[in-house]
Amino acid sequence: MKDWIEECFDWFDDRFEPPETPILPTKSFFKAGGGESEETARQVLKDVTRLLHFDAPIDLIPLDLLSAEYRLDYNSTSAVAGTYQNDGETVVIRYDPELLKSPLQFINILAHEVMHARLSGLEDEVPGGAGAHELSTDLGCIIAGFGVFQLQGADDAGWAGYLSQDSRAHALALFLKRRGLGRECVSGHLTPRCQKLLTRAIKALL
């Protein structure tokens, strides 16, 4: 797994412009206002596409789901947080409106879905091929700077997603190492549990 992550870093860095710093949940990176409206969601998507250097048009549509108060378990691992569709002409991302109450998780989901669009047509070229597409999509977000959102967002939601938390922590540690950065640039945005995972991953790279 570590070898595959390293290979993906090389592939992404060769194909896309590598970010020099991690993307953080601050106003320095995100210009969208607060709230839970569809307009706020569109503003967040605009921020995410800007940060991922993806400029093709995207239709953003809320999923038709029950409000969280009527669901048995909103944090269920089987819950659909977002979907991606591309018919060759139009990219459509659908999202769970309840995620707007958890901005970090919402940004993480949007980054994942936009990464799908970014990798459209390249699925067979990414290390691991089409069979590893969901894994490489999550990993691509970390390589593109969204490591804090991947690691902390999954922890906040109570689910692992496609990558394990150990793999996410390793990828974030590798991001910092390859960019010549220290853990202090992200640790303030991670809970103690996620900081522990990252610290362990950094030590394993020494």
Side-chain angles (χ1 to χ4, degrees):
M1 189 67 175
K2 290 179 179 179
D3 290 341
W4 174 76
I5 290 173
E6 185 91 43
E7 189 177 357
C8 282
F9 263 90
D10 290 340
W11 187 88
F12 275 87
D13 284 354
D14 285 344
R15 180 168 289 274
F16 304 107
E17 182 181 351
E20 295 181 359
T21 62
I23 295 164
L24 303 173
T26 67
K27 291 182 179 179
S28 297
F29 294 92
F30 294 90
K31 310 304 180 185
E36 301 170 21
S37 68
E38 290 185 39
E39 177 56 30
T40 296
R42 286 191 288 269
Q43 291 175 11
V44 176
L45 176 63
K46 186 177 180 180
D47 284 332
V48 171
T49 55
R50 170 177 50 82
L51 292 165
L52 285 175
H53 306 288
F54 185 82
D55 56 8
I58 295 175
D59 288 341
L60 185 65
I61 303 172
L63 286 163
D64 186 16
L65 298 172
L66 289 172
S67 297
E69 60 187 305
Y70 298 112
R71 304 183 201 177
L72 291 176
D73 183 5
Y74 168 60
N75 285 322
S76 169
T77 55
S78 63
V80 176
T83 65
Y84 163 81
Q85 291 175 301
N86 186 351
D87 63 6
E89 295 182 1
T90 305
V91 173
V92 178
I93 291 176
R94 291 179 170 85
Y95 66 94
D96 182 350
E98 291 292 332
L99 285 173
L100 283 160
K101 296 177 180 178
S102 306
L104 194 143
Q105 292 181 48
F106 181 59
I107 291 169
N108 184 40
I109 291 298
L110 285 188
H112 176 89
E113 303 305 341
V114 173
M115 184 58 67
H116 270 302
R118 194 189 201 195
L119 294 176
S120 179
L122 302 173
E123 293 87 352
D124 292 327
E125 296 182 28
V126 183
H133 181 58
E134 290 292 355
L135 287 169
S136 57
T137 300
D138 266 359
L139 179 56
C141 292
I142 298 173
I143 297 169
F146 282 84
V148 166
F149 295 88
Q150 273 282 317
L151 184 60
Q152 190 61 59
D155 193 70
D156 289 348
W159 49 261
Y162 297 101
L163 288 173
S164 69
Q165 285 295 75
D166 283 339
S167 293
R168 285 191 178 95
H170 173 77
L172 180 53
L174 187 58
F175 176 95
L176 296 175
K177 180 179 179 180
R178 289 174 69 118
R179 292 352 177 208
L181 302 169
R183 77 188 76 184
E184 65 278 356
C185 67
V186 298
S187 59
H189 301 278
L190 299 172
T191 61
R193 179 163 57 183
C194 288
Q195 288 188 45
K196 185 176 180 180
L197 286 171
L198 180 60
T199 297
R200 186 169 63 196
I202 289 173
K203 287 181 179 178
L205 286 174
L206 296 177

